[in-house]
Amino acid sequence: MLNDYNDVLQKLCHHLKQLAGAEVEITPQTDLINELAIDSVKLLNLIMEIEDEFDISVPINALADVQTVHELANLIHQIKSQKQ
């Protein structure tokens, strides 16, 4: 279970690095909006990439509570776990 979460976190960080740029350090505590300046368009693009990568569907309303990389990785992990 933890390996699954770590796999999700690693892949998510890879996608975020492409959005934010290589010079930005991304940790589980990184704030998506304040530190990475991810606006709604970038967020939707990121969610589409995540949905393709993990073969899941992320409900838009679930994103309202997501502020950090950890919270987003946790949400993806939960959706993946429910699907199996």
Side-chain angles (χ1 to χ4, degrees):
M1 189 92 159
L2 186 61
N3 279 345
D4 254 5
Y5 170 80
N6 287 335
D7 184 46
V8 168
L9 185 63
Q10 182 180 8
K11 289 178 180 177
L12 178 58
C13 286
H14 173 75
H15 285 288
L16 289 169
K17 274 239 186 267
Q18 291 177 324
L19 276 178
E23 70 282 352
V24 177
E25 183 184 350
I26 297 172
T27 69
Q29 289 73 37
T30 302
D31 187 299
L32 296 169
I33 295 166
N34 295 326
E35 292 179 58
L36 299 182
I38 293 181
D39 60 18
S40 56
V41 173
K42 286 182 181 177
L43 182 60
L44 287 177
N45 287 336
L46 175 65
I47 295 304
M48 287 191 308
E49 288 176 15
I50 289 167
E51 289 177 335
D52 288 345
E53 171 129 15
F54 295 106
D55 192 30
I56 60 172
S57 180
V58 178
I60 296 297
N61 62 340
L63 296 172
D65 297 329
V66 172
Q67 293 181 340
T68 65
V69 173
H70 164 74
E71 290 170 348
L72 184 54
N74 202 33
L75 174 65
I76 295 164
H77 183 254
Q78 286 176 349
I79 293 169
K80 259 185 76 171
S81 298
Q82 290 172 357
K83 188 177 175 189
Q84 294 173 350

